[in-house]
Amino acid sequence: MNMQNNPFNLAQLLEFAGKYHPTQKVITRRVEDDQIVEHTYREVLARSKKLANALKKLGVQHGDCIGTIALNTHRHMESWYGISGQGAICHTINPRLSMKQLHYIVNHAADKYLLLDPIFWPIIEGMHTKFPNVSGYIVLTERENMPKTEISNVYCYEELLTDAPDEFDWPEFDPQEGSSLCYTSGTTGDPKGVMYTHTSNLLHAYGLSLSDAIAVGAQDTILVVVPLFHANSWGLAYAGPMIGCNLIMPGKRMDGGAIFELIEKYNATSAAGVPTVWTSLLEYADKTGKKMESLNDVVVGGSAAPPSMFTRFREKHDVDLIHAWGMTEMSPLGTINRPSGAIMDLPKDEYLRIRRKQGRPIFGVDLKLVDEKNNQLPHDGKAVGRLLVKGNWIVHTYFKAGKPAVDEDGWFDTGDMATIDEYGYMEIIDRAKDLIKSGGEWISSVDMENHAMGHAGVSMAAAIAIAHEKWGERPLLIVVPKEGHKPTKETILEHLSTEFSKWQLPDDIVFVEEIPLTATGKFSKLHLRKQFEGYFD
Ligand code: AMP
């Protein structure tokens, strides 16, 4: 053997931080009482080992799926490492999913334990009988904040940790094995699981840490607004320990004032999240006249950032807004917008226009644009095509799916429509998938239409995304009533609430006589989107 080939385990990232950056911190706004607490990487490492021991004692074995329903806190991060590090699968679950989706994914993954924040206990209390594989629930808190419940197999996280040793020998195994599982509802039908591996997460963390990607070092502090439960938290919980920077975990408070306080108090130099959060932050700064002194840049992704957001950050706060694009299926980073030498001498307007695009791919991700007949399109900044991706941290086959999610040449279809210019910058132009993304979370138009059409007074229903200042998009439902019926908005909303969470319900329902159809008889969403453009302005 010429070179060492040491088996890699994700826990080594935290081991590295504990050894070489032992005093750098994970700063958390607690979910229970919004108090801010600090833990060093050395402490987070020791606590993740305690959890690994506790889970082993509870019978967790190599390859078991362990679900987490939790916000961004040090405990959730410890769980990531304590679970994956021992060879089990850390299955992060989005608490904003509808009950139906939650039910589906916990059972599809066959989660053996669920670790959850105390604020999510009411969800579980009402559903626990529907989870036959779950042996117990671990509430991420101390004894005094434990929920009062009659259910017997409920454990207190801090008690489990107190009783467990803080030494654990992370096992060796094939690093191509699964480490973590994240379901996406940004697809048709039931949510689909993406099983990341130790290797794919490692490569992604290296890619993310490049200076033309998140560009932070051990002197930086990143505010991790992007949830640990959505799209692998953009890989920041892995890249942070790899880089040795401080991480700020904001807990449940996402309002501009709370986010500003964390940035100011801890001199955050960088931050990552969806546009909705940055809108609240900018509004808070405008209202109070405060400036974000410490921030160098803010990474925005998950949905398109409005052009005005770039100007507001730059002109008022001297902050570079960095546009990034990716998907749960891509771990998630695909492209990120840092300036390349090739565009520096362009006229200012042209330069700024390019800087607002979703950015260039980093090595490890390849992009391809194709037309309806799958012919490759040129990178001329004009040709709009379906965006296909291929790479080392991109899904091959969804979890427990029979057939691959990629074509015969290994390309995965993102469902996004884009252009790529001569300098390599990609811009998302439209979405081919029929979905609505509100505040960074998905709502399925097809599910909403099907369910609405189950209402006794509804003949046809089409759900479309309408641009919304705060949430990016909000659903509008267009309904053709059945002959002789006069359904009301209230009864349709009540009918939808049996399947959809409150935030997923349409903001308005419009009654029409007919819905325009395409040549193949489908609802013409293009036509409807044009007809109702600006409806929520
Ligand atoms: P998710 O898997 O939930 O992160 O969703 C991925 C999808 O979100 C992509 O396929 C895009 O449709 C959309 N998306 C993510 N980032 C951006 C962005 N910067 N601009 C526009 N759409 C985005």
Side-chain angles (χ1 to χ4, degrees):
M1 188 183 287
N2 292 313
M3 303 297 283
Q4 295 184 22
N5 184 17
N6 302 323
F8 173 73
N9 173 334
L10 280 172
Q12 287 162 10
L13 291 171
L14 197 55
E15 282 286 349
F16 177 83
K19 192 167 172 187
Y20 297 107
H21 302 285
T23 56
Q24 297 284 75
K25 288 181 183 137
V26 176
I27 298 148
T28 297
R29 194 191 285 281
R30 282 163 51 91
V31 170
E32 300 90 332
D33 49 19
D34 295 332
Q35 296 300 309
I36 302 174
V37 292
E38 299 178 16
H39 293 82
T40 62
Y41 275 127
R42 188 191 279 138
E43 288 167 330
V44 173
L45 171 66
R47 288 167 56 85
S48 73
K49 290 180 173 179
K50 280 171 165 279
L51 177 66
N53 279 312
L55 290 176
K56 254 213 141 86
K57 204 168 158 197
L58 286 172
V60 170
Q61 290 178 0
H62 190 96
D64 282 344
C65 279
I66 309 297
T68 64
I69 311 181
L71 299 176
N72 289 12
T73 66
H74 66 97
R75 292 192 182 116
H76 196 180
M77 186 167 159
E78 291 153 16
S79 308
W80 273 40
Y81 283 94
I83 296 168
S84 303
Q86 68 173 281
I89 313 294
C90 178
H91 170 204
T92 50
I93 301 171
N94 186 337
R96 298 193 191 115
L97 293 178
S98 67
M99 297 297 151
K100 187 178 162 210
Q101 289 173 322
L102 196 71
H103 180 221
Y104 174 83
I105 66 170
V106 170
N107 287 329
H108 187 262
D111 288 326
K112 192 160 177 179
Y113 281 91
L114 287 180
L115 278 62
L116 67 154
D117 282 332
I119 53 168
F120 299 126
W121 179 253
I123 302 179
I124 294 304
E125 179 102 65
M127 292 187 79
H128 74 106
T129 51
K130 297 185 171 163
F131 301 139
N133 301 299
V134 176
S135 312
Y137 301 89
I138 301 173
V139 185
L140 298 164
T141 192
E142 310 79 2
R143 173 53 54 192
E144 60 267 30
N145 295 311
M146 284 294 285
K148 307 223 172 343
T149 175
E150 301 292 303
I151 302 171
S152 59
N153 48 349
V154 182
Y155 304 89
C156 167
Y157 181 84
E158 288 299 335
E159 277 177 5
L160 288 178
L161 259 57
T162 307
D163 296 342
D166 61 4
E167 277 309 321
F168 188 87
D169 282 333
W170 305 113
E172 285 188 0
F173 43 77
D174 180 354
Q176 294 288 358
E177 283 187 25
S179 63
S180 30
L181 178 63
C182 193
Y183 281 73
T184 174
S185 51
T187 139
T188 41
D190 287 322
K192 295 186 174 67
V194 182
M195 177 72 89
Y196 309 116
T197 66
H198 289 259
T199 305
S200 72
N201 272 322
L202 173 71
L203 291 175
H204 181 263
Y206 272 124
L208 188 69
S209 305
L210 289 170
S211 67
D212 263 6
I214 52 166
V216 296
Q219 72 285 6
D220 284 295
T221 298
I222 316 184
L223 174 65
V224 187
V225 178
V226 46
L228 287 162
F229 62 74
H230 190 159
N232 211 15
S233 191
W234 297 359
L236 291 169
Y238 299 129
M242 172 183 267
I243 295 164
C245 58
N246 298 312
L247 295 177
I248 307 179
M249 301 286 176
K252 68 175 184 298
R253 288 209 38 210
M254 287 294 144
D255 54 287
I259 295 292
F260 192 93
E261 185 196 357
L262 290 173
I263 293 173
E264 195 175 41
K265 190 162 179 193
Y266 292 98
N267 287 318
T269 50
S270 185
V274 293
T276 314
V277 178
W278 306 137
T279 303
S280 315
L281 177 65
L282 286 167
E283 271 169 16
Y284 173 82
D286 281 352
K287 216 167 53 204
T288 55
K290 292 184 174 170
K291 189 166 180 251
M292 299 165 211
E293 304 284 355
S294 59
L295 272 186
N296 297 324
D297 48 34
V298 162
V299 184
V300 64
S303 298
S308 60
M309 194 175 270
F310 293 85
T311 325
R312 286 170 82 189
F313 268 116
R314 195 176 46 253
E315 291 181 354
K316 295 202 173 157
H317 302 281
D318 200 17
V319 165
D320 209 5
L321 184 66
I322 304 295
H323 211 173
W325 165 88
M327 301 180 76
T328 304
E329 288 90 336
M330 302 175 70
S331 298
L333 188 62
T335 63
I336 185 158
N337 196 321
R338 295 277 175 187
S340 96
I343 64 165
M344 295 311 274
D345 295 332
L346 292 175
K348 192 169 173 216
D349 281 359
E350 173 73 347
Y351 169 84
L352 290 177
R353 214 189 66 70
I354 294 180
R355 290 298 314 282
R356 290 198 295 264
K357 295 185 177 185
Q358 277 76 2
R360 288 177 286 122
I362 46 171
F363 179 77
V365 174
D366 197 5
L367 308 178
K368 182 160 102 168
L369 288 181
V370 296
D371 64 14
E372 319 78 80
K373 294 190 177 123
N374 280 337
N375 298 315
Q376 188 157 353
L377 295 171
H379 292 187
D380 59 5
K382 295 190 188 81
V384 179
R386 255 175 33 247
L387 181 61
L388 310 187
V389 290
K390 190 173 182 172
N392 299 314
W393 51 76
I394 295 171
V395 71
H396 180 276
T397 304
Y398 286 110
F399 183 50
K400 294 184 181 169
K403 56 179 193 345
V406 294
D407 67 18
E408 57 281 8
D409 299 319
W411 291 92
F412 173 77
D413 189 340
T414 63
D416 288 323
M417 306 291 292
T419 60
I420 301 174
D421 67 25
E422 61 196 297
Y423 311 107
Y425 285 79
M426 185 276 287
E427 184 173 17
I428 300 283
I429 305 294
D430 202 355
R431 196 181 288 150
K433 45 197 174 193
D434 195 4
L435 292 157
I436 300 158
K437 202 166 201 191
S438 171
E441 303 291 347
W442 293 110
I443 303 168
S444 163
S445 346
V446 178
D447 281 357
M448 185 173 290
E449 290 158 6
N450 287 343
H451 199 62
M453 289 191 273
H455 180 286
V458 174
S459 161
M460 276 200 246
I464 53 168
I466 302 282
H468 190 279
E469 207 187 332
K470 178 162 183 207
W471 301 110
E473 294 172 8
R474 287 297 302 155
L476 174 70
L477 190 69
I478 326 274
V479 165
V480 180
K482 264 194 198 148
E483 236 183 285
H485 287 75
K486 277 209 162 128
T488 61
K489 287 181 191 175
E490 291 69 32
T491 59
I492 296 175
L493 286 176
E494 203 182 308
H495 176 73
L496 288 173
S497 3
T498 57
E499 292 278 316
F500 292 87
S501 300
K502 209 164 163 221
W503 67 270
Q504 295 176 315
L505 294 175
D507 277 15
D508 201 4
I509 298 177
V510 181
F511 294 99
V512 295
E513 279 176 15
E514 58 179 4
I515 292 178
L517 300 178
T518 64
T520 53
K522 293 185 188 163
F523 297 144
S524 175
K525 297 283 173 91
L526 211 69
H527 190 284
L528 283 174
R529 283 210 298 258
K530 270 218 181 81
Q531 188 181 343
F532 291 96
E533 198 176 330
Y535 189 85
F536 295 138
D537 290 351

